[in-house]
Amino acid sequence: HIYSTNHHGRTLENLYRHVGNARRTIMLIEPISTKKVMVIGMFAPQTWHPSTRVYGDGSCFLFRIVEDKMDGETQCWKWHPKELKNLLS
C-alpha cells in the first residue's frame, strides 16, 4: 500500500488505519523546508499501532539521502539498544 498525506490526511490515526495490516513498512519523507533536496526514510519490520511504549527491534533503521551537485550523500542509522535505554531513562 502507498500512504500519502495529500490523499489520506495528516493524522497519525489515518496512518495507523492505512498501514496497520502491513508486516513491514518503508517510509519516505521529503522535507519541504530544507535548502537541499533530501529524502528521509525508515524501515520498520513490525506493524504500526498506537502504544505508550517504544516498540521495534534490531532490524529497524533510519536513513537520509541528500542530493548534491556531484553525487548523492547517503547516511544510515541502525538500532542500538544502549542508546534507546539512555533515551528512555
Side-chain angles (χ1 to χ4, degrees):
H1 297 283
I2 295 177
Y3 177 83
S4 167
T5 55
N6 289 336
H7 181 72
H8 299 101
R10 289 175 171 81
T11 68
L12 199 50
E13 289 176 355
N14 285 346
L15 175 68
Y16 288 146
R17 190 171 26 257
H18 193 76
V19 300
N21 292 327
R23 289 188 284 164
R24 294 178 251 347
T25 307
I26 297 173
M27 187 176 296
L28 302 173
I29 301 167
E30 184 177 6
I32 57 173
S33 62
T34 61
K35 293 181 181 181
K36 293 184 178 183
V37 176
M38 78 169 63
V39 173
I40 300 168
M42 55 67 82
F43 170 74
Q46 291 81 19
T47 57
W48 287 77
H49 59 276
S51 177
T52 58
R53 301 186 56 127
V54 174
Y55 56 93
D57 63 25
S59 58
C60 300
F61 63 90
L62 302 172
F63 61 91
R64 178 176 68 180
I65 303 168
V66 179
E67 183 180 308
D68 198 354
K69 291 181 181 176
M70 299 300 288
D71 193 13
E73 174 190 347
T74 304
Q75 294 176 295
C76 184
W77 297 273
K78 295 184 179 180
W79 180 79
H80 295 283
K82 289 181 182 178
E83 291 177 15
L84 181 62
K85 185 177 180 180
N86 292 336
L87 179 68
L88 297 175
S89 57

